[in-house]
């Protein structure tokens, strides 16, 4: 008789466990549809707003549905243990895929924070440190919204540390680039000063060779009337230069039968004067 009672109790527990398992499977099937919708959004590289709230809602709705559809334990210790175990399995089964999506969400939020840093760091009025603070604050705010309050091991510390490391590397690279640009500008300034010094030395040597130089630069040109003979002269840096050439007047046909030199008269001389102080 004792064996028979034990067999009946075992059969009742097995039937109850099977009923709870059936209720759990039905709830999981419904909840996984909502999880799939979240996954589609994240897989498209688009972070979900209020991801943590949505994840909590999926889990809480599933637990409430299980409580409503699973057979009651009727204060039976064995059935109560089975009920609690199935309820825990349900939450664990839902939490696992949600946590995978949570890590993907954090990765997208980290990339968004890096973009925020790059945008702010380009501004001349914002320092590298201020841009880092803005990016970190944005990540923390959005990561808090993505974290499920009732989840197990839902933590963004590792992703935040990774973000801060990347921000430090970017800030260090930016500082090195600025240092290189400043060094190049300094070298260019030094080269210009060297060239100016060389120019001054050349001018001093010219003054010594030619007995000093004049600040005056004078040039003139004269064409002999009715000829192709052109006389040019210039005075520059204390030296006279003269050029005698035979060049046809290309514009004679445009200046009438007497040409330019006959038309103007004795003032057929062009003179230019420059004075350097």
């Amino acid at each position: 008789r004792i064996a028979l009672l034990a067999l009946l109790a075992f059969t009742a527990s097995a039937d109850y466990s099977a009923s709870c398992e059936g209720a759990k499977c039905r709830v999981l099937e419904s909840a996984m549809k909502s999880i799939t919708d979240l996954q589609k959004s994240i897989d498209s590289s688009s972070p979900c707003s209020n991801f943590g709230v949505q994840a909590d809602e999926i889990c809480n709705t599933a637990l409430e549905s299980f409580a409503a559809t699973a057979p009651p334990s009727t204060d039976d210790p064995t059935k109560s243990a089975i009920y609690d175990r199935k309820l825990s399995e349900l939450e664990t089964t839902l939490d696992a895929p949600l946590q995978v999506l949570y890590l993907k969400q954090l990765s997208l939020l980290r990339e968004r924070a890096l973009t925020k840093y790059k945008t702010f760091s380009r501004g001349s009025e914002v320092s590298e440190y201020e841009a880092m603070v803005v990016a970190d604050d944005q990540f923390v705010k959005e990561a808090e919204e993505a974290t499920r309050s009732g989840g197990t091991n839902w933590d963004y510390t590792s992703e935040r540390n990774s973000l801060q490391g990347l921000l430090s590397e970017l800030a260090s690279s930016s500082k090195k680039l600025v240092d290189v640009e400043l060094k190049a500008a300094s070298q260019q300034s030094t080269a210009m000063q060297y060239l100016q010094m060389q120019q001054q030395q050349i001018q001093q040597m010219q003054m010594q060779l030619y007995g000093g130089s004049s600040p005056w630069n004078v040039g003139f040109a004269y064409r002999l009337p009715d000829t192709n003979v052109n006389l040019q002269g210039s005075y520059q840096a204390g030296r006279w230069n003269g050029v005698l050439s035979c060049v046809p007047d290309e514009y004679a046909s445009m200046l009438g039968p007497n040409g330019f030199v006959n038309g103007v008269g004795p003032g057929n001389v062009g003179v230019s004067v420059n004075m350097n102080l």
Side-chain angles (χ1 to χ4, degrees), residues 88-124:
S88 177
E89 289 175 357
L90 173 62
E91 185 173 11
T92 302
T93 303
L94 292 174
D95 186 77
L98 286 173
Q99 193 167 18
V100 172
L101 296 180
Y102 172 68
L103 295 177
K104 292 182 178 180
Q105 172 89 350
L106 292 179
S107 179
L108 294 176
L109 296 179
R110 184 186 63 180
E111 295 300 321
R112 178 184 287 181
L114 287 173
T115 303
K116 187 79 168 182
Y117 164 79
K118 294 176 181 178
T119 302
F120 265 71
S121 62
R122 293 192 189 102
S124 58

Side-chain angles (χ1 to χ4, degrees), residues 32-60:
M32 289 303 296
K33 294 180 181 178
S34 300
I35 295 177
T36 301
D37 293 338
L38 287 178
Q39 182 178 0
K40 290 179 180 179
S41 176
I42 293 178
D43 288 345
S44 64
S45 300
S46 177
C48 295
S49 59
N50 297 319
F51 178 86
V53 174
Q54 295 187 59
D56 272 328
E57 184 178 352
I58 291 173
C59 290
N60 293 336

Side-chain angles (χ1 to χ4, degrees), residues 27-234:
V27 171
L28 279 175
E29 183 179 0
S30 176
M32 289 303 296
K33 294 180 181 178
S34 300
I35 295 177
T36 301
D37 293 338
L38 287 178
Q39 182 178 0
K40 290 179 180 179
S41 176
I42 293 178
D43 288 345
S44 64
S45 300
S46 177
C48 295
S49 59
N50 297 319
F51 178 86
V53 174
Q54 295 187 59
D56 272 328
E57 184 178 352
I58 291 173
C59 290
N60 293 336
T61 301
L63 295 178
E64 292 172 0
S65 297
F66 178 81
T69 57
S73 60
T74 62
D75 296 330
D76 185 334
T78 302
K79 291 183 178 180
S80 295
I82 294 174
Y83 182 91
D84 292 341
R85 185 175 72 252
K86 295 299 180 180
L87 191 66
S88 177
E89 289 175 357
L90 173 62
E91 185 173 11
T92 302
T93 303
L94 292 174
D95 186 77
L98 286 173
Q99 193 167 18
V100 172
L101 296 180
Y102 172 68
L103 295 177
K104 292 182 178 180
Q105 172 89 350
L106 292 179
S107 179
L108 294 176
L109 296 179
R110 184 186 63 180
E111 295 300 321
R112 178 184 287 181
L114 287 173
T115 303
K116 187 79 168 182
Y117 164 79
K118 294 176 181 178
T119 302
F120 265 71
S121 62
R122 293 192 189 102
S124 58
E125 298 179 356
V126 179
S127 66
E128 295 288 340
Y129 175 76
E130 291 173 334
M132 290 175 62
V133 171
V134 169
D136 183 67
D137 289 345
Q138 173 181 297
F139 176 80
V140 171
K141 179 178 179 296
E142 294 180 339
E144 286 285 353
E145 294 176 353
T147 302
R148 183 184 165 211
S149 59
T152 303
N153 298 324
W154 284 53
D155 184 73
Y156 56 85
T157 302
S158 177
E159 288 293 331
R160 185 184 183 186
N161 292 336
S162 174
L163 170 65
Q164 291 175 343
L166 289 173
L167 293 175
S168 297
E169 290 180 4
L170 289 175
S172 178
S173 300
S174 178
K175 184 178 182 302
K176 290 180 180 178
L177 178 61
V178 172
D179 291 342
V180 169
E181 292 177 348
L182 291 176
K183 185 177 181 180
S186 177
Q187 291 176 347
Q188 184 178 8
S189 176
T190 302
M192 292 299 297
Q193 292 176 358
Y194 176 78
L195 291 176
Q196 291 176 355
M197 183 179 66
Q198 293 294 317
Q199 183 66 28
Q200 292 175 356
Q201 292 178 354
I202 293 173
Q203 292 177 353
Q204 292 175 358
M205 292 177 63
Q206 288 178 343
M207 292 177 63
Q208 293 176 357
L209 290 174
Y210 302 108
S213 61
S214 171
W216 290 89
N217 293 329
V218 181
F220 69 90
Y222 179 72
R223 176 182 292 276
L224 297 180
D226 300 326
T227 68
N228 292 332
V229 178
N230 188 36
L231 179 63
Q232 295 178 339
S234 64

Side-chain angles (χ1 to χ4, degrees), residues 1-10:
R1 183 176 179 181
I2 296 175
L4 180 60
L5 292 175
L7 179 60
L8 291 175
F10 176 80

Side-chain angles (χ1 to χ4, degrees), residues 236-252:
Q236 184 176 7
R239 293 187 299 173
W240 284 97
N241 293 315
V243 178
L244 180 63
S245 59
C246 183
V247 180
D249 189 357
E250 299 177 356
Y251 302 100

